[in-house]
Amino acid sequence: MKNYLFCLKCSKAKIGLLFILFIFSSCLSDKKDKTSTTTSAEEVSKTEIKSEINQKVTITTNTMDFNGPRELNSGWNTFEYKNKSSDVHFFVIEKMPDNKTIENSKKEVVPVFQQGMDFFNDGKIQKGIDAFGKLPEWYSEVVFMGGPGLTSPGKSSTNTVYLEPGYYVYECYVKMPNGQFHSTAGMIDFFEVKSNKTNIEEPKNTIELVISSENGFTIKDSLSKGIQNFKVIFREQQTYENFLGHDVHLVQLDESANLEKLEEWMNWTNPEGFITPSPEGVTFLGETQEMPAGETSYFSAELKPGDYAFIAEIPNSSEKGMLHQFRIE
Ligand SMILES: [Cu+2]
């Protein structure tokens, strides 16, 4: 495992070349108009609305699937993710470039990631890196727009993000014990965001968490018992060794939890990472997937007395200031 990471670090120069292909969301932090999120009752009644105005967008996983609306309104949307399955899952929301749909993702992206991962699993690092070179050019235009963080079996999590009209794919890429991504087994779906606006106001927060490439996590308010509304500000964004940007997940830790093991697990390119069963003693309570610099994401959770941590889904998060352990008395 350590050898693997070392090996991957040695290949950084080559990966650097790949980064040019992987100009992820960080380069696409176009400023968005967030001035008006309200819609008159008359406008609302005229529109065909598939997700209910002012209601949460509920997405449920029963086994290896997503069940949710295919049409949403634009503006602030609160997702409630119900994980009724026996595995840990999440979903990342991906704004697709013009004329690209879930069919393009299924045919041109998911198999490439799986092929690359299969090589990594076999210890063929260079072949794996080469495989990612087969990603279509349009993939660099996909913008990652948040979504609920890792959510343990039987748990629900929330995530509120501002969505512009467009076509979005969402997926889970936790791996099954055989190393196959959940996205290859049905955990990829889509919704279209229409120009009609939701009535949801930007949420109010009790805790502010800033994520910066340079300083890691900065928590501006004291963490205390009870229901807390977190505001997560993406000050900067960048692409890490696992081809992803930073995000943040809230985990509850019991006595058997091992933070080092958790840190290693939070790297999907690691054959032993992002694979079920998830690390012992860790309950994932959601939070937010990555977003471009300048974006904000909200989530709520009830903090009960006990041990917790915030952690990003990147390699060596503690070195980057993106593993923060805390206790609620
Ligand atoms: Cu999953």
Side-chain angles (χ1 to χ4, degrees):
M1 174 40 225
K2 290 240 160 82
N3 284 345
Y4 174 82
L5 276 183
F6 178 73
C7 205
L8 202 60
K9 274 184 184 170
C10 293
S11 302
K12 219 171 171 182
K14 289 162 194 163
I15 293 175
L17 286 173
L18 262 179
F19 285 174
I20 296 162
L21 287 168
F22 281 79
I23 310 165
F24 272 80
S25 45
S26 51
C27 305
L28 298 162
S29 60
D30 48 326
K31 289 287 163 208
K32 294 176 172 64
D33 170 26
K34 294 179 184 172
T35 47
S36 171
T37 58
T38 53
T39 312
S40 74
E42 198 183 292
E43 278 178 278
V44 169
S45 66
K46 274 187 206 159
T47 57
E48 191 196 358
I49 297 160
K50 298 286 162 64
S51 67
E52 296 166 76
I53 286 271
N54 255 347
Q55 298 295 313
K56 285 175 182 167
V57 178
T58 302
I59 295 185
T60 306
T61 291
N62 293 314
T63 51
M64 200 60 87
D65 53 1
F66 287 123
N67 301 280
R70 289 271 167 75
E71 281 188 16
L72 273 58
N73 296 291
S74 59
W76 290 104
N77 273 281
T78 296
F79 292 89
E80 181 173 35
Y81 179 48
K82 294 183 177 176
N83 182 3
K84 294 183 176 175
S85 79
S86 53
D87 288 313
V88 64
H89 301 289
F90 72 97
F91 63 84
V92 60
I93 300 168
E94 301 164 5
K95 188 169 193 292
M96 299 288 278
D98 289 347
N99 307 315
K100 297 298 172 196
T101 69
I102 189 168
E103 294 311 319
N104 297 92
S105 293
K106 283 182 177 175
K107 278 187 204 138
E108 300 166 51
V109 178
V110 173
V112 173
F113 273 92
Q114 190 61 59
Q115 194 188 30
M117 191 67 235
D118 290 345
F119 281 125
F120 286 168
N121 284 335
D122 290 343
K124 295 171 181 163
I125 307 303
Q126 189 51 53
K127 281 198 163 181
I129 291 168
D130 292 346
F132 290 112
K134 291 181 199 156
L135 282 168
E137 222 166 90
W138 60 262
Y139 190 65
S140 64
E141 292 168 39
V142 172
V143 184
F144 284 50
M145 285 302 298
L150 290 158
T151 305
S152 283
K155 297 283 177 193
S156 291
S157 61
T158 67
N159 185 238
T160 302
V161 287
Y162 191 96
L163 298 177
E164 296 288 344
Y167 185 101
Y168 293 76
V169 165
Y170 62 102
E171 64 170 314
C172 171
Y173 52 81
V174 171
K175 289 175 280 180
M176 294 180 275
N178 66 2
Q180 297 282 304
F181 291 113
H182 289 180
S183 51
T184 67
M187 295 202 81
I188 184 163
D189 216 310
F190 73 94
F191 52 74
E192 284 180 75
V193 173
K194 301 294 181 183
S195 52
N196 312 310
K197 293 256 171 114
T198 68
N199 280 342
I200 299 172
E201 304 270 333
E202 181 166 0
K204 299 211 175 354
N205 64 288
T206 54
I207 311 264
E208 188 176 299
L209 192 159
V210 177
I211 314 180
S212 123
S213 306
E214 211 163 301
N215 302 316
F217 296 153
T218 308
I219 297 150
K220 295 217 166 156
D221 304 276
S222 66
L223 295 156
S224 57
K225 199 173 80 167
I227 294 172
Q228 301 294 351
N229 300 314
F230 296 85
K231 176 180 192 175
V232 180
I233 297 168
F234 289 81
R235 180 124 310 149
E236 296 111 24
Q237 186 55 279
Q238 70 171 83
T239 307
Y240 295 87
E241 303 96 300
N242 60 344
F243 313 122
L244 293 174
H246 48 237
D247 59 2
V248 56
H249 303 258
L250 174 64
V251 297
Q252 193 170 8
L253 308 164
D254 72 23
E255 294 94 41
S256 62
N258 178 320
L259 274 187
E260 259 177 53
K261 280 191 180 154
L262 171 65
E263 196 178 346
E264 288 182 0
W265 191 85
M266 293 295 283
N267 174 6
W268 69 265
T269 63
N270 170 7
E272 290 161 31
F274 247 58
I275 196 163
T276 58
S278 56
E280 203 189 328
V282 173
T283 304
F284 290 100
L285 300 173
E287 194 135 358
T288 185
Q289 294 295 313
E290 65 177 282
M291 300 187 91
E295 293 289 347
T296 303
S297 174
Y298 293 86
F299 106 107
S300 307
E302 186 179 1
L303 298 178
K304 295 173 182 169
D307 292 306
Y308 294 85
F310 292 119
I311 187 166
E313 189 211 325
I314 54 171
N316 307 312
S317 51
S318 56
E319 281 173 18
K320 293 160 182 140
M322 294 193 198
L323 172 54
H324 174 78
Q325 195 177 357
F326 62 98
R327 168 169 279 210
I328 299 295
E329 300 295 346

